[in-house]
Amino acid sequence: MKNILSVVVSCVVLAGCNATDDEADKQARNTNGYKCEQIRVLGSSIPKKVCSTREQRKEAEIRSKEATRNAQRPITLNGIE
């Protein structure tokens, strides 16, 4: 019984080692600019993993600049400052 259990455990471990990313996946990630970062969320000491593509990061940058510009714009009532 112990021999069967040890064989099963070793097969599971070896299968896990074989389940790594292949070269095609790595190349696809590099062409899309895929990047993961560890970000600490406010109020938590546990970092959160956030992954994004180059296009997603560019879009987030554009949205944040737009939000900053809108927040800094003076408020007008009926065209009067």
Side-chain angles (χ1 to χ4, degrees):
M1 184 66 176
K2 288 183 182 180
N3 289 339
I4 293 173
L5 183 61
S6 64
V7 170
V8 170
V9 170
S10 63
C11 288
V12 170
V13 170
L14 291 175
C17 292
N18 195 20
T20 59
D21 294 335
D22 61 343
E23 197 62 35
D25 286 341
K26 288 180 184 178
Q27 188 174 15
R29 287 181 184 167
N30 288 337
T31 58
N32 292 334
Y34 193 78
K35 183 179 176 184
C36 292
E37 297 176 323
Q38 296 286 336
I39 298 177
R40 291 196 184 267
V41 180
L42 185 63
S44 175
S45 61
I46 302 171
K48 183 177 181 183
K49 185 176 182 180
V50 177
C51 299
S52 61
T53 63
R54 185 180 303 121
E55 290 177 10
Q56 290 171 332
R57 290 189 302 274
K58 184 69 174 174
E59 180 65 29
E61 180 184 359
I62 290 170
R63 279 187 273 128
S64 66
K65 285 182 179 180
E66 206 171 285
T68 302
R69 191 175 327 115
N70 289 338
Q72 293 175 345
R73 191 171 23 181
I75 299 174
T76 60
L77 299 172
N78 298 328
I80 302 170
E81 279 190 32

